[in-house]
Amino acid sequence: MKILFFGSLTDIIGVADLCLNGITDTDALQQFLKAQYPMLSSAKYFIAVNQKMISANTPLKTSDTVALMPPFSGG
Amino acid sequence: MSNNERYSRQMILPGFGLAAQEKLRAAKVLLVGLGGLGCPALQYLVGAGVGSIGIMDADKVSISNLHRQLLYSETDIGQLKTTVAAKKISEQNAAISIEIYAYAINKQNALQIIKDYDLVIDGTDNFSAKYLINDACVLLNKPWIYGAVYRYEGHVSVFNLGSLPLTQPLINYRDIFPQKPYNGEIASCEAAGVLGVIPGIIGTMQAAEAIKIITGIGKPLYGRMFNYNLLEGNSYEIEMVKIKDAPTIDQAFFNTMNTDISAVVDCDALDIDIEEIDTASFIQLRTNPNVFVLDVRERHEYPAIDFSHAQIPMSELRQAIFDLPEKELCIICHQGIRSIYAGQLIRAKRNLKVYSLKGGLTAYFNKVKA
């Protein structure tokens, strides 16, 4: 599956997208990412699966695109 | 007749006509912030014939504004943005009624001012103002148009749009991001940099959303977050939902939140230069016994760090400045922004050598992991 990162999260991950497989749901995805990128633990963001924001743990398929979107404040 | 001539190119559009033009003339829009987002938004609202516009900003024009705030000229430097903007837009369209608020939005004035407008455009550059606008608009049942930029990316969305009586709760900013980031947690344009066209594009889109909402044409970006990426030349749209643990915004919530807005910065400290060091220098420096490593993140921030350091959260730092040892200070935080501000606060009171870890622990962990 494809994971997209936006705004300040690309500074933490170092890239704007990752391809990951074998992750079953969004909780497992977050756990994996936070272990790999510790600074993600204190970042604020919402998660969208296939361009729809989620409000609870959501199962993931290989064909899914997941987005992690942080807030921006510049103007 | 002259008005019909002035607006003829938009009035002949399918679905627009005299009816839409009349709605624009009758509309009252409050624009909070006259910076990179606010300038283009204002110019297009005035051009389109929005009848009454409130403009709110405490700042004066500075030279670093001119690359993106195209309403202002070199001769305007040092003057209040509201004064300059009011003069320029009255030259652009004398029929527009302008209300000037030459001060920042705060908890005391927000409800009083916003209640007289149909909608609010957020042209601000900080989270405190965005959350305050959101909470005030929820209390007053007003829609607001959010815009924000980060480096080469921009966000646009419409929050709290719906007519009474409500059939379901409206989506507001706290449904998406319930907790306000700390000051400096996410870099501002000043710290992160910005290309002038980014707020130009986003501010113009905010004006477009305002025109759509007022006239009823098209489909507003309500319930949708639009992300524009200039470098990639693409956009990404996300359908938003209310999260389960979103706070209920009522008068009591409003009274207890939004307390920090007038105390965001201590202006006298901001001119002090703080030396930034990279991760490699930091790794050397932190083993020096004369160096005191100070983490200014809040207590619940992660990750934990495995080298010796002291932690005084930014929220408690002011009270602790005179407890700091007579040592060289190396200050660290999440992104290396709060640490500079912490260094400035300390240097304003204490004569200590102060360093800030450039890029913060984000840069540190990227380097250590590599």
Side-chain angles (χ1 to χ4, degrees), chain B residues 78-141:
Chain B
Q79 293 192 63
L80 280 170
K81 288 183 174 180
T82 45
T83 308
V84 179
K87 180 172 174 288
K88 302 236 165 136
I89 57 183
S90 65
E91 288 164 4
Q92 187 190 342
N93 191 341
I96 308 295
S97 151
I98 302 289
E99 192 72 41
I100 291 177
Y101 308 96
Y103 41 83
I105 192 165
N106 64 37
K107 197 172 158 176
Q108 284 70 41
N109 64 30
L111 295 171
Q112 196 61 29
I113 294 171
I114 292 173
K115 74 172 172 41
D116 293 331
Y117 290 89
D118 302 322
L119 67 87
V120 180
I121 294 185
D122 156 38
T124 68
D125 61 358
N126 65 86
F127 285 115
S128 297
K130 289 179 195 299
Y131 278 83
L132 177 62
I133 291 170
N134 179 70
D135 296 351
C137 284
V138 171
L139 275 188
L140 295 167
N141 289 310

Side-chain angles (χ1 to χ4, degrees), chain B residues 24-30 49-54 95-99 117:
Chain B
L24 288 176
R25 192 188 57 76
K28 299 187 78 177
V29 174
L30 178 67
V50 170
S52 304
I53 304 175
I96 308 295
S97 151
I98 302 289
E99 192 72 41
Y117 290 89

Side-chain angles (χ1 to χ4, degrees), chain A residues 23-33 47 54 56-58 60:
Chain A
I23 292 174
T24 52
D25 56 40
T26 51
D27 279 358
L29 173 68
Q30 291 202 76
Q31 206 175 1
F32 172 82
L33 290 173
I47 297 179
I54 57 162
N57 188 25
T58 302
L60 293 172

Side-chain angles (χ1 to χ4, degrees), chain B residues 193-214:
Chain B
V194 65
L195 195 64
V197 291
I198 275 282
I201 290 164
I202 299 300
T204 304
M205 286 191 70
Q206 290 178 279
E209 289 305 308
I211 291 167
K212 283 159 63 183
I213 293 168
I214 294 164

Side-chain angles (χ1 to χ4, degrees), chain B residues 141-202:
Chain B
N141 289 310
K142 308 274 185 187
W144 69 283
I145 302 166
Y146 157 77
V149 304
Y150 184 84
R151 295 209 172 112
Y152 295 103
E153 288 174 72
H155 275 169
V156 191
S157 189
V158 175
F159 290 107
N160 208 50
L161 176 66
S163 45
L164 296 170
L166 298 176
T167 48
Q168 56 182 352
L170 299 176
I171 295 176
N172 73 72
Y173 191 58
R174 284 194 194 266
D175 293 324
I176 313 305
F177 299 114
Q179 278 190 319
K180 184 163 78 68
Y182 315 109
N183 293 328
E185 182 179 331
I186 309 252
S188 64
C189 290
E190 205 176 315
V194 65
L195 195 64
V197 291
I198 275 282
I201 290 164
I202 299 300

Side-chain angles (χ1 to χ4, degrees), chain B residues 342-358:
Chain B
Q344 290 171 328
L345 285 181
I346 293 166
R347 285 275 282 94
K349 300 269 166 69
R350 296 279 306 269
N351 188 21
L352 299 174
K353 180 76 201 149
V354 173
Y355 303 97
S356 166
L357 173 59
K358 192 175 178 156

Side-chain angles (χ1 to χ4, degrees), chain A residues 4-74:
Chain A
L4 307 177
F5 303 93
F6 294 86
S8 53
L9 299 186
T10 57
D11 300 341
I12 292 174
I13 310 297
V15 292
D17 55 86
L18 291 173
C19 266
L20 297 173
N21 279 315
I23 292 174
T24 52
D25 56 40
T26 51
D27 279 358
L29 173 68
Q30 291 202 76
Q31 206 175 1
F32 172 82
L33 290 173
K34 285 175 182 176
Q36 294 289 311
Y37 307 95
M39 291 309 295
L40 198 62
S41 305
S42 57
K44 296 184 174 70
Y45 56 86
F46 69 75
I47 297 179
V49 177
N50 301 328
Q51 294 185 270
K52 182 163 183 173
M53 186 181 152
I54 57 162
S55 61
N57 188 25
T58 302
L60 293 172
K61 304 184 299 291
T62 320
S63 58
D64 287 338
T65 298
V66 183
L68 273 66
M69 182 64 78
F72 300 173
S73 72

